[in-house]
Amino acid sequence: MESRLYMAQTIANRVKELRAARGWTQEKLAHAVGVSRQSVNSIERNRYVPSLELALTFARVFACATDEIFQLQQSTADAEVER
């Protein structure tokens, strides 16, 4: 059995959805979590995975658990191998 440490995984997020539900701009969210608007944009587009510290800050700002914002997803190829 292959170790899960070497399986390709991606991290999906709901940052854009949660931001939009509050009627916030990327700029307002960026200010709330202490990063640039460009960083928020990159996170929303799944081009950048935030640090644990930043993920926890998002959770505090959105008043929800980190796993309600960020989800670890296994790649489709790896899911087929496990079956």
Side-chain angles (χ1 to χ4, degrees):
M1 177 178 208
E2 185 178 352
S3 169
R4 288 189 176 271
L5 293 176
Y6 300 105
M7 294 181 146
Q9 297 181 335
T10 59
I11 297 179
N13 74 74
R14 297 177 53 222
V15 172
K16 184 175 184 176
E17 173 188 342
L18 294 168
R19 174 182 63 77
R22 285 161 178 75
W24 292 359
T25 63
Q26 287 182 342
E27 188 69 37
K28 182 171 182 171
L29 177 57
H31 180 73
V33 298
V35 298
S36 68
R37 184 204 58 78
Q38 291 84 353
S39 292
V40 169
N41 182 272
S42 292
I43 292 166
E44 288 184 354
R45 297 178 62 138
N46 292 312
R47 292 183 177 184
Y48 171 71
V49 176
S51 66
L52 176 57
E53 180 181 2
L54 184 53
L56 292 169
T57 303
F58 275 110
R60 183 177 293 147
V61 167
F62 288 136
C64 62
T66 54
D67 63 349
E68 292 180 36
I69 305 169
F70 303 97
Q71 299 84 35
L72 186 61
Q73 297 182 331
Q74 200 170 322
S75 73
T76 306
D78 289 334
E80 293 297 321
V81 169
E82 283 191 2
R83 290 183 190 167

